[in-house]
Amino acid sequence: MKEPEITKELIKDHGITDEEYSRIIEILGRKPSFTELGIFSVMWSEHCSYKSSRLHLRNFPTKAKWVIQGPGENAGVIDIGDDIAAIFKIESHNHPSYIEPYQGAATGVGGILRDVFTMGARPVASLNSLRFGELSDPYQRHLFGGVVSGIAGYGNCMGVPTIGGEISAHPCYNGNILVNVFNLGLSKKDKIFYGSAAGVGNHVIYVGAKTGKDGIHGVTMASEEFTDDAEQKKPTVQVGDPFTEKLLLEACLEAMKKELIVGIQDMGGAGLTSSSSEMAGRAGTGVELELSEVPLRESDMIPYEIMLSESQERMLLVCTDGKKDELIDIFKKWELDATVIGRVTNDGKLRIKWHGNTVAEIEASKISDKAPLYDRPSKKPDYQDDLNKLDISTIPEPNDYNEVFLRILSLPSIASKSLVWEQYDHMVRTNTVQLPGTSAGVIRIKATTKALAMSVDCNSRYCYLDPYLGGMHAVAEAARNVACTGAVPMAVTNCLNFGNPEKPEVMWQLKNAIIGIAEACTELNTPVISGNVSLYNETKGSAIFPTPVIGVVGMIEDVSNVISHSFKSGGDKIILIGDTLNELGGSDYLALIHSKEMGVPPALNLKKERALHELLAELSNDKLVNSAQDCSDGGLMAAMAECCIDKGFGASIDLSALASGIRTDALLFGESASRVVVSCDEKDVVKVSEKVINKGLTFNIIGTVVKDGRFTVIINNRSVIDLGVSRLLDVYSNSLANALK
């Protein structure tokens, strides 16, 4: 087949600007071939090069004594002791999931699993963060069902438990849903593998499934806004096969255990192009590939298509000559293709051949190192100041707090997600300590006393109202979720979901959110070790709320100390730790009851937040509390309801001591930060209070756990809420199912 002529139209179709094309000519010293144009197109896409965000991502703290590998590899790695490393990352599959929800979500799970096991880890736990538009829209319900089924279908077949996550619905996601998937794996600390094409003369080996035409230009599609032709982009969505990936996982781990691999890289976004060029670039070597040796599903594929295909379940390996045959035999035993397709060279070039003829030759390091880096203009939106103006004295207080309480519990972000997580296998491998439906998932680490807690979180409304403060809140809440289990938060991965960065207002949101995240991670001593940036999440010019999803992993030294959120015993005292302020800005209550998304998010003191995390670890280690639940979405009442519902306990609450100068609705549903509800035996109240006060935090006994199944709240001798826990359970359990009917 004759290659097409490189025209201005073809260059534009590849998403390459005039300036970028001039840079390509400068790097090559000539015009590019068609295959070379495709290589630069995908590698310089926003999805692969981070050309709009890379400059700002440098603000993140990335180092600590327990960090083994920070950003720049397939996943981040931390040392958790006992010669064990935890390897984790979060990724997005937003655009593909909107176009084809089942395969988009399924291949998102497959991709994040490969990112983890390519580092030498066995994946042991997954989380997800899902955002949909209005569930009253039939298409959004279709997307919801497809995404959940895709996650379940792939993860369950792989034998990796999905132990938690978050789901929310908001009109800003009507045109762009978000599907962010997190995975964590475990490995021996000295058995970590990297994506490096080291050793001149070593073999480059293709393993896994055959290459097809699915997913070509998937990363380019993920680096542009949606228009009316989104449906036509279905061919750019990859097709996954979890059974093949399960074989690939086992084969890779076996080859790693036998020390047959020098370097390994997932063929994910940009496929063979990214894996080969990045492996060569990291090692400072070159790679020469003969594409006629690549196993193909379709015989008429050309080099351009082979290099850009994003077919799933494929890896690129490097091994020495002496270990080649044993390596190939392992993959053939697992019924997978394993073919030598090239070698490592010493000339620093990515050289692509087709039946002996060179069709592309580029200095490998320059594909990434010379990628565009933009300091795009940023501008505070004209509407921002008006958005932040909120005089809560003009907001009328409701007459019926029982009704408000039940409506808050019915929100998709708060109501039970059991109809979702019951589709996931959350107990496979028998390591799950804390089931989905809680703020953080917990797994035990077999052969040790340890456990790991993990959570993903972001309040996108906060980030819309104030990206800087919203970014800090996302870190603080995810870390607080982890701390409520008794774990010490250790490290962060993030998935930064934003609109079109070429718009100064979106760039302002992105820059400020990154600064807020960086400050929170620094103060909380949770370095960023991996992550992903997903931009151009907008359709027909309408962008999503800025949604920087944060994943936090923490460690518990003794798994027997894990704290859950539910009340355990009648007569236990209920204690609120932290300050409740007269603030409603950005709250679920204000949006749901008063149809106002405005004001500023709750104030956040990061020093108090860190002190709270340290306190919770101490309370866990000393076994002084029977439950802990953070106050966030829906405020104190939503937190209290979740504490009651699991085991059917009631609560007798008196908030009179907190009521001075605070509106009743703010007291009940305001979302003041750095607050946790704990319960403890009456005999331990003094010890708990001493520890709280020693940390400089506020301590208030606000009630008692009761067995009579009623939830009551009194303020200054006035009953403001009086409901049966069975009524709370009914609303909490059935609201999401009702919304999806």
Side-chain angles (χ1 to χ4, degrees):
M1 173 184 169
K2 183 180 178 182
E3 289 194 342
E5 181 184 353
I6 306 300
T7 63
K8 286 187 176 182
E9 290 75 18
L10 189 66
I11 294 166
K12 183 179 179 181
D13 287 344
H14 279 71
I16 295 172
T17 66
D18 292 343
E19 181 185 343
E20 290 168 354
Y21 185 67
S22 297
R23 184 177 298 196
I24 291 170
I25 292 177
E26 182 182 332
I27 289 170
L28 296 174
R30 54 177 170 77
K31 289 185 177 181
S33 68
F34 182 51
T35 302
E36 289 168 337
L37 184 70
I39 288 172
F40 279 109
S41 170
V42 293
M43 292 304 294
W44 286 9
S45 68
E46 192 71 61
H47 188 83
C48 287
S49 73
Y50 292 1
K51 56 190 175 186
S52 298
S53 59
R54 209 160 75 241
L55 183 69
H56 307 289
L57 297 177
R58 296 170 182 169
N59 288 311
F60 288 148
T62 59
K63 298 182 185 302
K65 63 181 181 181
W66 53 89
V67 174
I68 297 173
Q69 175 65 52
E73 266 289 344
N74 291 296
V77 187
I78 58 172
D79 183 349
I80 59 172
D82 292 324
D83 293 322
I84 300 172
I87 300 175
F88 60 93
K89 187 183 181 183
I90 190 169
E91 271 275 7
S92 64
H93 234 220
N94 303 334
H95 288 64
S97 298
Y98 184 79
I99 297 169
E100 213 302 301
Y102 184 94
Q103 288 295 347
T107 52
V109 173
I112 196 66
L113 291 173
R114 289 195 303 278
D115 280 341
V116 168
F117 75 74
T118 194
M119 301 287 292
R122 178 173 290 280
V124 295
S126 292
L127 308 171
N128 50 69
S129 174
L130 311 178
R131 315 276 165 145
F132 299 96
E134 296 165 288
L135 297 181
S136 57
D137 177 2
Y139 189 65
Q140 291 298 321
R141 296 197 296 274
H142 160 72
L143 293 173
F144 189 106
V147 165
V148 170
S149 295
I151 291 170
Y154 208 102
N156 293 355
C157 292
M158 286 295 295
V160 179
T162 299
I163 65 169
E166 60 167 358
I167 296 176
S168 64
H170 190 280
C172 77
Y173 303 108
N174 281 346
N176 275 90
I177 64 171
L178 300 185
V179 177
N180 293 179
V181 285
F182 166 103
N183 185 259
L184 179 142
L186 298 174
S187 171
K188 289 291 185 183
K189 191 171 68 171
D190 60 350
K191 298 293 183 182
I192 297 166
F193 288 79
Y194 298 94
S196 175
V200 173
N202 281 342
H203 299 286
V204 177
I205 301 179
Y206 172 116
V207 301
K210 288 180 169 58
T211 294
K213 294 184 180 181
D214 55 315
I216 293 174
H217 273 297
V219 296
T220 308
M221 177 267 292
S223 304
E224 60 189 18
E225 292 183 37
F226 277 151
T227 57
D228 288 323
D229 66 348
E231 183 70 16
Q232 298 171 15
K233 296 183 178 180
K234 279 193 174 182
T236 64
V237 178
Q238 309 94 321
V239 178
D241 178 359
F243 298 104
T244 298
E245 177 131 333
K246 175 63 173 171
L247 300 176
L248 183 62
L249 163 65
E250 299 300 341
C252 286
L253 292 181
E254 182 178 339
M256 290 166 170
K257 186 176 181 180
K258 293 182 177 179
E259 300 183 344
L260 303 179
I261 296 174
V262 173
I264 178 170
Q265 176 94 350
D266 165 38
M267 288 192 230
L272 188 52
T273 292
S274 61
S275 54
S276 57
S277 63
E278 289 174 0
M279 290 179 78
R282 290 189 190 111
T285 58
V287 165
E288 181 174 293
L289 303 179
E290 174 51 73
L291 297 189
S292 63
E293 298 295 332
V294 172
L296 302 177
R297 286 206 311 262
E298 298 158 81
S299 60
D300 63 342
M301 292 184 71
I302 61 173
Y304 175 97
E305 294 171 323
I306 296 169
M307 289 300 293
L308 271 60
S309 168
E310 294 181 14
S311 293
Q312 295 291 284
E313 295 90 37
R314 303 178 301 157
M315 292 280 190
L316 198 64
L317 311 182
V318 172
C319 81
T320 62
D321 187 56
K323 296 181 177 181
K324 170 178 68 81
D325 292 340
E326 186 179 359
L327 178 70
I328 290 174
D329 285 344
I330 286 174
F331 284 89
K332 288 186 175 178
K333 179 188 77 173
W334 289 96
E335 300 181 346
L336 296 167
D337 282 304
T339 308
V340 175
I341 65 167
R343 62 187 179 91
V344 179
T345 65
N346 63 0
D347 62 5
K349 294 187 176 180
L350 173 66
R351 186 175 295 105
I352 310 300
K353 293 194 170 186
W354 180 241
H355 296 287
N357 297 315
T358 300
V359 294
E361 186 174 283
I362 311 168
E363 286 191 50
S365 63
K366 290 186 177 179
I367 297 174
S368 296
D369 294 351
K370 296 297 182 180
L373 178 62
Y374 294 129
D375 185 4
R376 295 196 185 276
S378 66
K379 176 181 177 290
K380 186 177 181 180
D382 293 337
Y383 58 76
Q384 200 73 38
D385 288 339
D386 287 337
L387 194 66
N388 293 147
K389 291 176 183 175
L390 174 67
D391 181 358
I392 64 173
S393 67
T394 65
I395 305 296
E397 293 203 42
N399 296 319
D400 187 344
Y401 280 105
N402 285 334
E403 179 190 2
V404 172
F405 188 16
L406 295 174
R407 289 184 65 189
I408 292 286
L409 285 184
S410 72
L411 286 168
S413 57
I414 294 174
S416 171
K417 319 300 187 300
S418 59
L419 67 82
V420 172
W421 60 258
E422 285 171 357
Q423 298 182 52
Y424 304 149
D425 189 338
H426 47 274
M427 293 300 293
V428 64
R429 305 195 65 81
T430 67
N431 294 322
T432 307
V433 175
Q434 193 145 284
L435 300 181
T438 58
S439 296
V442 182
I443 59 164
R444 68 174 54 82
I445 304 173
K446 287 177 179 171
T448 76
T449 63
K450 292 177 171 152
L452 289 176
M454 57 206 78
S455 178
V456 289
D457 214 296
C458 177
N459 188 317
S460 59
R461 189 185 295 118
Y462 288 1
C463 296
Y464 169 64
L465 297 175
D466 186 332
Y468 166 73
L469 190 51
M472 288 201 296
H473 269 287
V475 177
E477 185 174 345
R480 195 183 318 132
N481 290 340
V482 165
C484 279
T485 69
V488 176
M490 293 182 71
V492 160
T493 183
N494 57 53
C495 199
L496 308 181
N497 306 277
F498 288 78
N500 183 347
E502 297 168 49
K503 297 179 178 178
E505 293 81 6
V506 171
M507 200 64 224
W508 178 84
Q509 293 174 332
L510 177 62
K511 286 173 63 175
N512 281 278
I514 287 173
I515 294 170
I517 292 167
E519 288 190 17
C521 288
T522 298
E523 183 62 39
L524 300 180
N525 202 20
T526 52
V528 177
I529 65 165
S530 61
N532 174 66
V533 180
S534 174
L535 304 180
Y536 296 94
N537 289 291
E538 56 182 275
T539 298
K540 300 179 185 178
S542 179
I544 63 166
F545 281 0
T547 313
V549 174
I550 302 295
V552 172
V553 173
M555 188 171 66
I556 304 161
E557 288 289 349
D558 186 344
V559 67
S560 68
N561 291 337
V562 172
I563 311 169
S564 71
H565 71 288
S566 56
F567 292 147
K568 306 297 188 302
S569 180
D572 278 1
K573 292 302 176 184
I574 302 169
I575 298 164
L576 176 62
I577 301 170
D579 298 317
T580 301
L581 306 178
N582 194 37
E583 51 191 355
L584 288 173
S587 65
D588 280 330
Y589 162 78
L590 192 66
L592 179 66
I593 305 302
H594 299 287
S595 302
K596 293 182 183 296
E597 294 187 297
M598 58 189 304
V600 294
L604 178 60
N605 183 318
L606 290 171
K607 293 190 183 303
K608 286 189 174 182
E609 184 73 43
R610 183 167 177 178
L612 179 61
H613 301 172
E614 293 169 352
L615 168 70
L616 288 164
E618 289 183 17
L619 295 174
S620 165
N621 290 335
D622 294 341
K623 298 184 186 295
L624 289 175
V625 295
N626 296 327
S627 68
Q629 171 73 359
D630 82 302
C631 299
S632 53
D633 298 351
L636 177 59
M637 289 301 98
M640 292 291 303
E642 291 173 0
C643 295
C644 290
I645 283 168
D646 265 9
K647 299 186 183 300
F649 283 106
S652 176
I653 308 298
D654 188 334
L655 299 178
S656 303
L658 304 176
S660 177
I662 300 180
R663 294 165 52 112
T664 298
D665 51 2
L667 193 54
L668 300 176
F669 306 114
E671 296 172 359
S672 293
S674 310
R675 295 185 301 163
V676 170
V677 173
V678 301
S679 65
C680 71
D681 191 291
E682 189 168 9
K683 67 179 173 54
D684 292 322
V685 168
V686 172
K687 291 179 182 177
V688 172
S689 68
E690 288 173 350
K691 286 185 174 292
V692 173
I693 292 166
N694 285 341
K695 287 293 183 183
L697 301 172
T698 304
F699 172 95
N700 280 286
I701 299 173
I702 60 170
T704 304
V705 178
V706 297
K707 295 180 180 179
D708 66 2
R710 293 211 66 79
F711 187 100
T712 60
V713 179
I714 292 172
I715 300 176
N716 295 330
N717 298 316
R718 178 171 69 99
S719 174
V720 293
I721 289 177
D722 187 348
L723 289 164
V725 172
S726 61
R727 179 72 174 122
L728 301 182
L729 177 61
D730 177 60
V731 172
Y732 181 77
S733 300
N734 297 314
S735 290
L736 186 56
N738 291 336
L740 292 169
K741 286 181 180 176

